[in-house]
Amino acid sequence: MPLSARARALAPLILISLSITVCITYFTAIPKSFNKNSPFWILSTPSHLPAPKPSTSPSVAESTPSPRYKPPPVRHPPLKENFPLASHASSPTDLPPIPTWNVPPNPHLRRDTPVFIGFTRNWFILQQAVVSYLTAGWPASDIYVVENTGTQSSNRDNLLTPQNPFYLDYHRLTKVFGINIVSTPAYLTFSQLQNFFIWYSGEKGWDYYFWSHMDVVALSDETYTDEETGEDKSLYLRAVDTLNETLSPNYGKWAIRLFAYDRLALVNRNAYMDVGGWDPMIGYYGTDCDMHERLAMKGYEWVDAHVGLVYDIGSSLDDLLVLYRQNTTRSSSNTKPNSNPTPDTLASLTYHNLTHTLDAMQSWKNANIEGRNIWQKAQSGGQGEAFYIDPDGFDTALWKTVELGKEVMENKWGHRGCGLREAGLHTGDAWRVEKDWE
C-alpha cells in the first residue's frame, strides 16, 4: 500500500534519529583513555572486547645480525722523510746544484722532451724518482708528475698527510723542484692512465713523449763516452740522441723505444692513436702485451735503446742528497749541511758505491718473498681524511681488477699468455676466435 504523504515526510527524520542513536551507543563504548586528539578512524579497542595478544615476533633491531669483523689491520710504521733538506727548502736555490756533468742545456733544446711519471701511492718513492731524473739532467720544466690518486684537489689543498698512501707534496714538487703536476679527474687503471698520456700529449701538440714508472732511480752512466766526441753524456742527453735518431726520416715505422724495458720509454703518439690506444678493459698486467702485439700486427716496431742506468726500486735511499753528489757533513738535525759542500767528480768511488747500493736494492725488490710491489702498500695512515680508502681494501680491489683484466685478455684473443702473432692471430681477430686451450 503506498505510504501516505505524512509518512513520506517523516521518513528522513526517522533515519536521522536512528543514526544519532547508533553513534551515541558506539562512542560510549570507547575507553576513557581514548586520545580525543586522534583522528576518529584511529580507535582503541573497546573495553568490552578482548585486548589483542602482544606480538611474539622480534623487533627489527633484535632481528638484524651483527657483522663479523675481520681482525684489525696491521698498521705499518711511519715512513721516514728521505730528503730532509728539501723538506726545509722553499725554492730550487735551497737545494744543491745538479752535478756539473749532468746540467741540462741552457737554453732548452729546440725539441720538446716531456716525461710523464704516473703517481698513485707512496710519496717517498715518487720523490726519489723525481730527484733522480733531475740529477740525471732532465730539465725540471719537462717533468710531468701525473697525480692519479682519485682524491681530486685534496693534495693541492693540503688536505692529506704524509702517511696517507695517496699523499704527495704539491709545494715541494712545483716550488722546490720546479716540475709540473697534472691531475686525473678520477682514479685510472694503468691502461686508462696510458690513454690519458696520449690525450694530454695531443692537447699539448706533442707527437711523441717519454714516460717512466715511479718506482725507479735513474742515473747517468758515468763510465760512458760518446763514440764521436769522446765526451761523457748525461742520461737526458743520450735520451735526446735516441729521440733524434728515431725521428730521422730513414728510421722506419716505429711505435716505442724501450730503455730497460719500459722503466723509461719513448712513445710515438700517432702510432698509438692508429691502433686505437690502450684497451681500457685490460687494466693492468697483460695490457702491455695486448698493445705491443696490436702495434706489431700493423707493422710498427719497438727497439730497445740504452741511455743510462734505470733501476727498478721498491725502497728508498736513506737520503736523496746522495744523488746530488755533494761531499758534505751533516748536523744532528739532518736538515742542513755543517760546512760548504765539495762537488764530487765524474765516475768517482762515491758513484760506484751508489750503483752497488742501487743494484742491491733492485735485487731485494725482485727477490722479496712478500712480492716485488710491497712498496705500494707500505703506508696505512690517512684515516678520516678526504677521500679516505682503507689501504688494504684498495690493494685487494686492485688485485681483483688485475685478475679480471687477465681474463678479459684471454677471452679477447682466445689465447693465454702473450705471443699472439705466434698463435696465428692478426688484426681484426679480437673477440672473434674460440679459445685455443679447450
Side-chain angles (χ1 to χ4, degrees), residues 3 16 44-45 51 72 127 159 184 195 356 406 425 435 437:
L3 293 175
I16 292 172
S44 301
T45 303
Q127 178 173 229
L159 300 179
T184 60
N195 283 334
H356 293 326
K406 292 179 180 179
L425 296 164
K435 299 174 183 177
W437 64 87

Side-chain angles (χ1 to χ4, degrees), residues 255-289:
I256 185 170
R257 300 297 301 270
L258 299 172
F259 314 112
Y261 189 55
D262 65 356
R263 297 174 196 169
L264 174 64
L266 169 63
V267 170
N268 177 355
R269 178 181 176 275
N270 293 325
Y272 278 28
M273 292 286 288
D274 186 34
V275 298
W278 295 72
D279 189 334
M281 300 301 178
I282 308 174
Y284 297 93
Y285 294 108
T287 195
D288 52 348
C289 171

Side-chain angles (χ1 to χ4, degrees), residues 96-352:
I98 303 298
T100 55
W101 53 91
N102 284 340
V103 173
N106 187 16
H108 192 286
L109 299 175
R110 294 179 60 185
R111 292 195 187 280
D112 294 317
T113 53
V115 58
F116 294 120
I117 305 175
F119 168 78
T120 297
R121 292 180 287 176
N122 199 322
W123 151 251
F124 301 104
I125 295 295
L126 172 68
Q127 178 173 229
Q128 180 170 252
V130 168
V131 171
S132 75
Y133 277 108
L134 288 171
T135 54
W138 215 286
S141 60
D142 288 7
I143 299 176
Y144 290 77
V145 165
V146 180
E147 184 200 359
N148 180 40
T149 62
T151 64
Q152 299 195 16
S153 61
S154 299
N155 278 305
R156 185 194 65 198
D157 297 340
N158 297 316
L159 300 179
L160 308 185
T161 53
Q163 297 308 320
N164 187 319
F166 304 100
Y167 166 88
L168 62 75
D169 192 327
Y170 245 75
H171 176 269
R172 194 179 304 182
L173 290 176
T174 58
K175 303 302 182 183
V176 178
F177 297 149
I179 69 169
N180 308 280
I181 300 178
V182 180
S183 296
T184 60
Y187 174 74
L188 305 178
T189 66
F190 176 83
S191 59
Q192 292 168 340
L193 185 63
Q194 293 293 327
N195 283 334
F196 183 84
F197 295 167
I198 297 171
W199 171 82
Y200 189 82
S201 298
E203 293 296 298
K204 300 289 284 188
W206 300 329
D207 290 331
Y208 54 85
Y209 56 87
F210 295 86
W211 78 272
S212 172
H213 286 270
M214 62 165 280
D215 53 332
V216 303
V217 171
L219 289 185
S220 298
D221 182 354
E222 297 181 18
T223 65
Y224 169 84
T225 54
D226 185 88
E227 293 182 355
E228 295 183 2
T229 65
E231 299 177 350
D232 62 272
K233 277 193 172 181
S234 69
L235 177 144
Y236 171 70
L237 288 179
R238 292 180 67 187
V240 172
D241 286 346
T242 302
L243 173 63
N244 290 334
E245 173 195 4
T246 308
L247 294 181
S248 63
N250 299 325
Y251 183 75
K253 191 177 180 180
W254 72 284
I256 185 170
R257 300 297 301 270
L258 299 172
F259 314 112
Y261 189 55
D262 65 356
R263 297 174 196 169
L264 174 64
L266 169 63
V267 170
N268 177 355
R269 178 181 176 275
N270 293 325
Y272 278 28
M273 292 286 288
D274 186 34
V275 298
W278 295 72
D279 189 334
M281 300 301 178
I282 308 174
Y284 297 93
Y285 294 108
T287 195
D288 52 348
C289 171
D290 173 80
M291 182 59 158
H292 295 166
E293 287 288 313
R294 286 188 289 118
L295 287 165
M297 289 174 185
K298 295 201 72 172
Y300 289 101
E301 297 180 348
W302 64 88
V303 181
D304 293 340
H306 187 72
V307 296
L309 307 175
V310 187
Y311 294 90
D312 181 22
I313 302 293
S315 54
S316 177
L317 294 162
D318 292 335
D319 191 337
L320 301 182
L321 185 64
V322 69
L323 297 175
Y324 287 86
R325 307 287 295 285
Q326 299 284 306
N327 297 318
T328 63
T329 57
R330 305 192 64 77
S331 66
S332 58
S333 65
N334 202 33
T335 59
K336 294 183 179 180
N338 275 335
S339 60
N340 293 327
T342 303
D344 198 7
T345 56
L346 184 71
S348 67
L349 178 62
T350 301
Y351 165 77
H352 289 288

Side-chain angles (χ1 to χ4, degrees), residues 75-94:
R75 296 298 178 193
H76 301 285
L79 297 181
K80 295 191 300 183
E81 172 62 62
N82 56 355
F83 199 2
L85 182 61
S87 69
H88 293 264
S90 58
S91 71
T93 59
D94 295 325

